[in-house]
Every structure is written in structure tokens, then in C-alpha cells.
Amino acid sequence: MMKKLLLTSAIAIVSVPVAQAAPEIYGKAFLTTDYINDEADYTNRVDDAPEDSDVDSVQINSNFSRLGLRGSEAITANTDVIYRLEYGIDIDGDDSNTFTSRDTYLGLVNKDYGEFRVGRNTSVLGYVYDPMVARAYWDNLGKRTLNDNGGVAALNMLDYTRSDSSVLWIAPEYKDLQLVVQYVADEGSDDNKDKDGYGAALKLDKDSYTAAIAYSKDIEASGSINTLDFVTDDNAEGLINYGGDAFRGTVTVDLDEYIDMSTPLTLGAVYQQADYDFAGSHKEKGLIVSGKMALENFAHPASVYLQYNKTDNLNGIDNNNSDQIVLGGEYELKDNVIAHAYVGQNSADYTSPLDPTNSVADIKVFAVGGGLEYLF
């Protein structure tokens, strides 16, 4: 009797239909060789002594390389469970943290109600990114403070981040309109209601142009800066924690759709504003204009691009300004193998948050390089 019962149970288990979808492994390896010259004329704020820096270097850089696992599982006729585990990989080995968390979430997608993602998510400004065409070393939006060791860096305006403990809703597309809404729980604060973040993005995506806006509160414009950059006194305390609002508007236009042109040309523009809430802050204002043109008479698809970035009151600090211009090109050896080359310069006036009338440093960074991007 027991043997029959065991046999019946085994047959029942084997007979249950299994419709588990296999996860997809994907990623990107993007490695470049860059020649970099960085110069800085600054004053050490410990003893007000003038100091200069002029450094040339050749670097091997990994540019947002990543490895991920994603997939979905149907649970009803209209609803799927979705998941993603994505990690940044420093394939040149410079960073001791070889794996860093990117988008990692579990969620649901429904044909009528859209997509819900819970976990660590790209913030809303990341969904309105079309005009940004600079790559590799010069894909540097969000680099707004000096290196941890006070080293020279090419500084730029606020960019999107990734938010822990967040919920993202991507609404069903309606007449070429896409709405994204985000909530971020500040689990490290005793006063969650005042520190939680939220934001939304709306994008219109037509055949010949795109237009988008995004707004967030205490998501992108949230973090800390050291008011004592360039200071060599380890006991000095100058850390400012802040929150704030961020707004981004973007537009791209395929010009060849409106003007008879021999080669396709896409123009883009970004206006961005960030309002930080620390005492004495000023609104950070950013502008980006870009153009990307396809090139004819090549064996494989090729393009050239030009991008100019301007930021005033970088990181909310008065007279903390930067300008950046980059010329680059791409050549598709295959759909998933792209060669890159670029040259650019960033100039910045880096001032003290405690005394914005006193310029701490004049910074210039020049970089030229190229490399290979492999998608899988």
C-alpha cells in the first residue's frame, strides 16, 4: 500500500506542468584607452598657500561595463512577474569593488495597468536622456565634486541616480506618451515623511522627434558635498548633507525629416535646474546642446557627434561654473560591436561653498581616447 502511495505521489509531481521561462543573461564590456591632461591652479585652504597641478596620464578605463540577469514569468493571461539583477563590472581592475549594484528589482507587468518595479531602480531623470550622445570618458554627467583624494576631475551637472528601496511605475503607453512615476523610501531616517523622495517623467516619442520632462524631490538632488575640498587637514569637518528638487526638459529632432539632407542629422537640447536645500545654496542651471550625424560611404554604419555642456552654480554653489565640449565618432563593426573615438575639454571654476567669492581652483581637463564596446 505504501509503495503504491509513493508511486502515485511521484507521478503526480512529475505530471505538474512546468512553464518556467529561462532567464536572459546580458551585459556590456566597454574598454577604452585615454590620454588625459589635467591642470589646476588652487589655494590650499589650510594655510592659503598657492599650489599648482599639471598631470599627464594614459589610462585604461572601463566605461559602465555591466553584467545582468533578467526575465519574466506568466502568472495570469495578462500579468507577468518580472525581475532584473544587474551589476556594474570594473573590467580593467582599477576599482577594488569589482561588482556594484545597478538596477535590481522584482515586479509585475500587466497589459492594462503597466509595469511595477520594487527594489533598486534608475531614477526618473534617467528616462529622459535622448540628447546626451557623448560616450566613454566624456559620459560624465553627475560628476560634480572633486575626487575623494582632492584630485582634479572634469566637473558637470547633476544626473540621474539609482535609488534603493524604491517603487517605480511605468504606465501603459498612450498615444506615444510614456509616464513614469517613482517613490523612494528613506529607511535610514527617523523622520521618513520628510525625507522620502518622489518624482515623475513624461515622454512623447514620435517618429521624427522626442520631447520629455522630468521632476523629482529628494531623489537626484540628494546627498552630501565636502566644503573643504583641497584641504589636507584630516581633522577638518566640512560635510554638508542636502536634499532638493530637480527638473529636466529635453527635445530631439531628426532634422532630415523636415529638410532635404544628404545624411541623417539629429539635434538635441537639454535644460536642467536643481534647487538644493542647504543654507546659502543657489540654483544649479545646466544646458546641453548636441548633434549626431550619420556618415556615408563606409562599409559599416558610422556617425560623428558634437556635444556642449554648460553648468552654472555647480552643486548649488555660487560662481561654481563649468563648460565642456566633446567631439566624437562611432563605427559599428557589427550590431553589437562598436568602435569609439573622441576628444574633449572641460573647464571649471571650483569655489568654496563657505565663501563663493573666493575661487578655490581653476580646473582644465583635456582627454582624447578610443576603444571598443561589446554588447551581449
Side-chain angles (χ1 to χ4, degrees), residues 140-273:
N140 67 326
L141 261 67
K143 184 64 176 177
R144 298 173 296 135
T145 61
L146 301 180
N147 297 333
D148 293 338
N149 60 1
V152 176
L155 304 178
N156 219 315
M157 68 187 71
L158 178 75
D159 197 14
Y160 74 88
T161 183
R162 286 183 171 82
S163 302
D164 299 334
S165 305
S166 64
V167 180
L168 193 77
W169 174 51
I170 304 175
E173 186 175 305
Y174 176 75
K175 294 185 177 179
D176 301 317
L177 279 171
Q178 183 72 72
L179 173 67
V180 180
V181 178
Q182 186 175 27
Y183 167 77
V184 180
D186 184 9
E187 297 179 349
S189 171
D190 294 331
D191 188 3
N192 288 342
K193 291 184 179 179
D194 290 340
K195 298 298 181 180
D196 292 353
Y198 54 86
L202 183 65
K203 180 179 179 180
L204 176 64
D205 193 349
K206 306 293 285 187
D207 291 338
S208 58
Y209 68 91
T210 68
I213 55 173
Y215 168 82
S216 69
K217 171 71 173 177
D218 294 336
I219 298 181
E220 283 88 4
S222 178
S224 62
I225 57 172
N226 193 344
T227 64
L228 300 177
D229 281 327
F230 288 114
V231 171
T232 57
D233 181 359
D234 293 336
N235 295 320
E237 295 183 1
L239 198 65
I240 290 178
N241 297 311
Y242 61 82
D245 304 291
F247 166 83
R248 175 182 287 179
T250 70
V251 62
T252 66
V253 179
D254 294 333
L255 205 60
D256 51 295
E257 294 289 332
Y258 302 95
I259 301 174
D260 187 15
M261 304 182 65
S262 58
T263 58
L265 173 63
T266 300
L267 300 180
V270 179
Y271 177 74
Q272 182 171 295
Q273 194 166 281

Side-chain angles (χ1 to χ4, degrees), residues 7-332:
L7 180 60
T8 302
S9 300
I11 293 173
I13 293 173
V14 173
S15 299
V16 173
V18 178
Q20 186 174 2
E24 176 191 3
I25 298 175
Y26 69 96
K28 177 170 77 171
F30 192 0
L31 205 64
T32 56
T33 301
D34 302 305
Y35 163 76
I36 301 165
N37 172 256
D38 50 57
E39 302 178 25
D41 300 324
Y42 63 92
T43 300
N44 188 311
R45 294 183 56 229
V46 172
D47 53 15
D48 290 328
E51 298 186 22
D52 298 323
S53 172
D54 189 346
V55 178
D56 295 294
S57 62
V58 176
Q59 301 178 8
I60 306 297
N61 289 313
S62 177
N63 303 281
F64 304 106
S65 300
R66 67 200 65 165
L67 181 65
L69 188 73
R70 62 190 172 195
S72 63
E73 191 79 31
I75 54 177
T76 71
N78 294 322
T79 304
D80 293 355
V81 171
I82 56 172
Y83 59 90
R84 175 178 293 195
L85 302 172
E86 183 176 297
Y87 299 92
I89 302 177
D90 190 42
I91 60 176
D92 61 334
D94 288 343
D95 195 335
S96 58
N97 298 320
T98 302
F99 290 89
T100 56
S101 178
R102 290 172 58 88
D103 284 30
T104 54
Y105 58 78
L106 182 67
L108 296 171
V109 58
N110 180 275
K111 295 178 181 178
D112 298 319
Y113 300 107
E115 186 171 327
F116 295 85
R117 302 175 180 177
V118 182
R120 178 174 169 83
N121 289 291
T122 292
S123 55
V124 290
L125 261 63
Y127 287 85
V128 292
Y129 214 78
D130 296 272
M132 289 71 143
V133 295
R135 294 290 178 260
Y137 183 86
W138 292 111
D139 186 6
N140 67 326
L141 261 67
K143 184 64 176 177
R144 298 173 296 135
T145 61
L146 301 180
N147 297 333
D148 293 338
N149 60 1
V152 176
L155 304 178
N156 219 315
M157 68 187 71
L158 178 75
D159 197 14
Y160 74 88
T161 183
R162 286 183 171 82
S163 302
D164 299 334
S165 305
S166 64
V167 180
L168 193 77
W169 174 51
I170 304 175
E173 186 175 305
Y174 176 75
K175 294 185 177 179
D176 301 317
L177 279 171
Q178 183 72 72
L179 173 67
V180 180
V181 178
Q182 186 175 27
Y183 167 77
V184 180
D186 184 9
E187 297 179 349
S189 171
D190 294 331
D191 188 3
N192 288 342
K193 291 184 179 179
D194 290 340
K195 298 298 181 180
D196 292 353
Y198 54 86
L202 183 65
K203 180 179 179 180
L204 176 64
D205 193 349
K206 306 293 285 187
D207 291 338
S208 58
Y209 68 91
T210 68
I213 55 173
Y215 168 82
S216 69
K217 171 71 173 177
D218 294 336
I219 298 181
E220 283 88 4
S222 178
S224 62
I225 57 172
N226 193 344
T227 64
L228 300 177
D229 281 327
F230 288 114
V231 171
T232 57
D233 181 359
D234 293 336
N235 295 320
E237 295 183 1
L239 198 65
I240 290 178
N241 297 311
Y242 61 82
D245 304 291
F247 166 83
R248 175 182 287 179
T250 70
V251 62
T252 66
V253 179
D254 294 333
L255 205 60
D256 51 295
E257 294 289 332
Y258 302 95
I259 301 174
D260 187 15
M261 304 182 65
S262 58
T263 58
L265 173 63
T266 300
L267 300 180
V270 179
Y271 177 74
Q272 182 171 295
Q273 194 166 281
D275 191 2
Y276 304 97
D277 61 10
F278 62 84
S281 65
H282 290 69
K283 287 184 179 180
E284 177 187 289
K285 298 178 180 180
L287 174 69
I288 299 174
V289 290
S290 66
K292 188 170 185 178
M293 181 173 64
L295 300 178
E296 301 292 336
N297 302 319
F298 282 85
H300 298 276
S303 60
V304 62
Y305 60 81
L306 183 68
Q307 180 171 315
Y308 171 72
N309 298 26
K310 178 177 176 57
T311 309
D312 293 334
N313 304 329
L314 187 71
N315 224 9
I317 304 167
D318 192 21
N319 295 322
N320 206 26
N321 305 323
S322 76
D323 291 271
Q324 178 173 295
I325 188 164
V326 179
L327 173 66
E330 301 176 3
Y331 186 74
E332 294 185 17

